[in-house]
Amino acid sequence: MAASTGNAFDFKLFRRLLEYTQTYKWTFYFVGIAAILLSFFAVLRPYLLQVTIDNSIVPQDGEELVFYIALMAGVLILEVIFQFCFIYFANLLGQDVVRDLRVDLFEHMLQFKMKYFDKSAVGRLVTRAVSDIETISSIFSQGLFMIISDLLKMITVLAFMFYQSWRLTLLVLLVLPFILYATRIFQKKMKAAFEVVRTEVANLNTFVQERITGMKIVQLFTREETEYQKFKDINDKHRKGWIKTVWYNSIFFPIAEMSTSITIGLIVWYGGLRVMGGSEAITLGVIVAFIELSQMLFRPLRQIADKFNTLQMGMVAANRVFGILDTSASIPDEGTIEIDHLNGEITFEDVKFGYVEGEEVLKGISFKANVGETVAIVGATGAGKSTVINLLNRSYEIQSGRILVDGIDVKDITLKSLRSQIAIVLQDVFLFADTIKNNITLNHPEISKEEVVRAAKEIGVHTFIDTLPGGYDYNVKERGVMLSSGQRQLIAFLRAYVSNPSILVLDEATSSVDSYSEQLIQDATDKITKGRTSIVIAHRLATIKKADKILVMDAGKIVETGTHQELLKKENGYYKNLYEVQFMEEEAI
């Protein structure tokens, strides 16, 4: 995990970030060369101004004045050209780097196991992948190269000032240590302030994302005022974080401006006395040049402080992004076996698992699903039914025991090939803001629209889709809000069907649908499960009567096994009691 060193600038982190520029090294070098040339032009302009005053204005030579004016115009044009190239390519490099970094981050997050997402706020991860990475681009566009350019200018200007007049230069340097000390303090304070700002931005994003997603609950339970007050508190903390940065800027920049004015006063005072005394070493042109040179020396200091703010924000953001990149939270994909098809035999051997260390959800369960069988798993909420599915496709890692498919340990099979053979329909269906076709195929290039339509007709879903505006091209919007829960469930069922899985899993697939949709799914279930190993987790026991085997779970253990009829014959059996309770509830309704 990347961590801040506590220094004003983390060079180790910076070197790591620079590794992303290796692909674009020629752009990097060009920007560096442009920065060097700009420092040369920075000194050339005051020098030409000095020569113009001393050689043409003071002696009143009109021809010389025109010549020097034309020369300064040419230098100015060249400076503008290089300034354009410098700014453009520095920004281009920054965008190239953040594009690659964002791709690496998203690819890394795609490999995380579900346990990581269970513990991580969505809004915080969005902040890292979007706004934090965008902030990193400013390191190159407004931070790093701008600081390098300013430092080169300062060094060049200082050397030229010593060459022109070491006495006037020493006067200027009297004020410099004070500004350097103030800049150093400013940098440290701003780093701490920006840490707070980035934290509060993440908190704000998380809160807003969750409340907008759950707005229906907020309004149904009339919690608008409560959530409004919470938002005001979080927003106020965000404001206070930014106010600290404003406070430090408000102190530093007036001090820097005052120091510059004092320096100009010293130059005019001492230089003026020397000119009036007839000194040949200091002329009127030198005084004017030194006034501009001192501005060039101090202005970069103020700009460096400002650019350092940008650099600090980028480094804080980089620290957070690399923190995720350094997180090892992926399922170990050390399997070497690639499978194109499974017969579908599933074996659990004394499997133990807990989402939290020391709290077992599954307490040593063992069962076998033979090829082509439909195995139903029933039990009360929290019994561990859905956990079985999460372990089968390795969304989570078991603590002990073994899970086998066709006699092969799932750990020995590559994750991609294992999951490609298992299709799951969940109770909580997630649809993307895209067309129905793309939500069914998940943009799989080998599944054509014709195949989707044919599959929909086979399981009886085509009619409902065809009635929608645009049919299979109908956009369901974010999370499928344009469809009813039953329709979303049918889309999820069709998504599983077209993938042609070796193993089918239905996790409470009919618990939130209307009777019409449930009948469609029941008919489709009979078709899709034929000759295919299926695991059905159901709350409604009436939907699993045809299962070849029923596993009854309680408190993480399998307490009963058998067919529907066999389990009903057990006196005071767990399954029998569940069935009778549900039957009486339905009769009452």
Side-chain angles (χ1 to χ4, degrees):
M1 186 86 172
S4 177
T5 63
N7 298 323
F9 191 80
D10 190 338
F11 285 98
K12 184 178 180 181
L13 181 66
F14 186 64
R15 283 196 299 271
R16 184 176 178 184
L17 191 60
L18 283 181
E19 291 175 7
Y20 279 85
T21 67
Q22 292 301 308
T23 310
Y24 314 101
K25 58 182 180 181
W26 292 113
T27 305
F28 186 90
Y29 294 151
F30 178 78
V31 175
I33 292 170
I36 294 172
L37 289 173
L38 285 173
S39 67
F40 168 74
F41 285 123
V43 170
L44 189 57
R45 280 192 293 109
Y47 174 70
L48 287 176
L49 181 61
Q50 172 193 330
V51 173
T52 300
I53 293 172
D54 289 340
N55 294 355
S56 62
I57 294 177
V58 172
Q60 299 182 4
D61 188 336
E63 291 183 5
E64 284 287 306
L65 179 62
V66 172
F67 169 74
Y68 284 121
I69 292 296
L71 191 58
M72 284 193 287
V75 169
L76 181 61
I77 291 170
L78 286 174
E79 188 176 8
V80 167
I81 292 173
F82 279 101
Q83 189 76 36
F84 166 78
C85 293
F86 174 77
I87 294 172
Y88 177 79
F89 285 102
N91 279 274
L92 179 65
L93 179 64
Q95 290 303 317
D96 285 338
V97 167
V98 298
R99 177 192 60 193
D100 295 347
L101 187 57
R102 187 177 281 124
V103 168
D104 285 352
L105 180 66
F106 189 72
E107 182 184 29
H108 189 64
M109 288 196 296
L110 284 175
Q111 311 306 319
F112 283 165
K113 49 191 172 186
M114 288 300 104
K115 187 175 181 179
Y116 179 85
F117 295 106
D118 292 342
K119 295 182 177 180
S120 301
V122 174
R124 195 173 297 275
L125 292 178
V126 171
T127 300
R128 300 292 175 267
V130 181
S131 62
D132 276 349
I133 287 189
E134 198 58 43
T135 303
I136 292 173
S137 70
S138 63
I139 290 178
F140 299 96
S141 61
Q142 302 173 38
L144 170 66
F145 290 115
M146 291 293 186
I147 290 175
I148 291 174
S149 177
D150 286 343
L151 285 174
L152 286 173
K153 285 180 183 177
M154 289 173 62
I155 293 170
T156 307
V157 164
L158 199 57
F160 182 73
M161 289 171 72
F162 267 111
Y163 172 75
Q164 287 293 88
S165 172
W166 63 267
R167 290 184 175 87
L168 283 178
T169 304
L170 289 178
L171 273 179
V172 172
L173 291 180
L174 285 176
V175 185
L176 191 61
F178 176 72
I179 295 181
L180 289 174
Y181 177 74
T183 302
R184 178 66 174 170
I185 297 297
F186 179 67
Q187 290 168 355
K188 288 185 175 181
K189 294 293 184 182
M190 290 300 285
K191 177 181 170 69
F194 282 132
E195 287 277 6
V196 174
V197 167
R198 298 310 304 170
T199 299
E200 294 307 328
V201 167
N203 291 338
L204 197 60
N205 283 347
T206 300
F207 184 88
V208 172
Q209 188 272 335
E210 286 183 345
R211 270 53 184 187
I212 290 176
T213 303
M215 188 58 71
K216 185 175 182 180
I217 300 299
V218 172
Q219 293 182 352
L220 284 174
F221 288 87
T222 64
R223 307 304 294 170
E224 293 94 336
E225 184 62 31
T226 302
E227 298 305 324
Y228 171 70
Q229 292 300 328
K230 285 183 180 178
F231 178 80
K232 283 184 66 177
D233 293 341
I234 295 174
N235 195 40
D236 189 53
K237 289 179 181 177
H238 177 259
R239 173 185 171 276
K240 288 178 180 176
W242 272 111
I243 288 297
K244 277 190 176 181
T245 67
V246 173
W247 170 253
Y248 295 138
N249 277 295
S250 301
I251 294 175
F252 174 76
F253 287 103
I255 289 175
E257 197 65 39
M258 180 183 67
S259 303
T260 304
S261 299
I262 290 173
T263 304
I264 292 174
L266 290 173
I267 292 171
V268 172
W269 168 71
Y270 181 78
L273 289 177
R274 299 282 291 180
V275 170
M276 289 186 291
S279 172
E280 295 181 0
I282 298 178
T283 63
L284 184 60
V286 170
I287 294 175
V288 173
F290 258 77
I291 290 174
E292 188 168 349
L293 288 167
S294 66
Q295 293 284 318
M296 288 184 174
L297 185 64
F298 289 147
R299 189 185 304 121
L301 272 178
R302 297 198 299 273
Q303 290 177 346
I304 284 175
D306 193 31
K307 297 300 184 295
F308 203 88
N309 295 346
T310 302
L311 188 61
Q312 292 285 34
M313 287 192 73
M315 292 298 288
V316 169
N319 186 61
R320 295 174 185 274
V321 170
F322 283 127
I324 296 179
L325 283 171
D326 291 340
T327 300
S328 179
S330 58
I331 297 288
D333 190 9
E334 299 170 353
T336 56
I337 302 174
E338 293 274 354
I339 52 174
D340 296 323
H341 178 74
L342 288 172
N343 293 323
E345 182 184 85
I346 302 170
T347 307
F348 274 58
E349 296 180 352
D350 194 29
V351 173
K352 295 181 180 180
F353 171 77
Y355 294 100
V356 180
E357 192 72 30
E359 297 180 17
E360 285 189 345
V361 175
L362 298 183
K363 303 174 182 178
I365 68 166
S366 300
F367 71 89
K368 184 175 182 179
N370 296 315
V371 177
E373 275 189 342
T374 297
V375 176
I377 304 177
V378 300
T381 301
K385 305 185 297 298
S386 296
T387 302
V388 173
I389 308 309
N390 291 333
L391 299 181
L392 177 61
N393 66 2
R394 296 192 68 198
S395 291
Y396 297 85
E397 287 286 75
I398 62 176
Q399 266 88 57
S400 64
R402 289 203 308 167
I403 300 175
L404 311 174
V405 289
D406 290 357
I408 308 171
D409 194 314
V410 292
K411 292 183 178 180
D412 296 329
I413 304 172
T414 62
L415 272 176
K416 185 176 181 180
S417 62
L418 172 67
R419 291 174 178 174
S420 69
Q421 297 302 312
I422 303 172
I424 300 179
V425 179
L426 300 172
Q427 176 184 359
D428 183 19
V429 178
F430 186 93
L431 298 182
F432 296 93
D434 206 335
T435 64
I436 285 181
K437 173 186 171 293
N438 289 340
N439 269 290
I440 293 169
T441 64
L442 295 177
N443 295 304
H444 196 298
E446 296 180 8
I447 303 177
S448 66
K449 184 176 180 179
E450 289 71 25
E451 290 178 89
V452 173
V453 174
R454 184 169 59 252
K457 289 178 178 178
E458 288 176 2
I459 64 174
V461 182
H462 174 73
T463 304
F464 118 73
I465 296 177
D466 200 41
T467 60
L468 297 170
Y472 290 85
D473 294 321
Y474 179 66
N475 193 311
V476 300
K477 305 301 180 183
E478 188 175 0
R479 300 184 68 87
V481 294
M482 303 304 290
L483 302 177
S484 69
S485 60
Q487 290 172 329
R488 290 197 296 270
Q489 200 75 58
L490 289 169
I491 297 299
F493 199 89
L494 186 53
R495 177 193 288 169
Y497 185 40
V498 297
S499 68
N500 192 27
S502 300
I503 298 171
L504 176 68
V505 177
L506 304 179
D507 186 359
E508 303 278 10
T510 61
S511 63
S512 61
V513 299
D514 53 55
S515 57
Y516 174 72
S517 298
E518 182 178 357
Q519 187 58 51
L520 283 176
I521 290 179
Q522 283 299 325
D523 294 341
T525 300
D526 293 339
K527 183 177 182 60
I528 193 174
T529 57
K530 188 176 182 180
R532 178 182 281 116
T533 305
S534 304
I535 296 179
V536 181
I537 296 174
H539 177 68
R540 300 182 188 179
L541 303 186
T543 62
I544 58 169
K545 291 180 180 179
K546 297 179 183 178
D548 298 302
K549 185 187 300 179
I550 298 175
L551 308 179
V552 185
M553 294 190 66
D554 182 37
K557 295 180 180 180
I558 297 175
V559 294
E560 291 177 0
T561 305
T563 64
H564 175 70
Q565 294 299 328
E566 288 171 348
L567 293 173
L568 285 181
K569 292 176 182 178
K570 290 188 177 183
E571 289 296 325
N572 297 318
Y574 192 98
Y575 180 84
K576 182 179 181 181
N577 290 335
L578 280 177
Y579 185 78
E580 288 176 350
V581 168
Q582 281 197 14
F583 181 76
M584 285 188 291
E585 287 177 351
E586 290 173 4
E587 284 290 307
I589 294 172

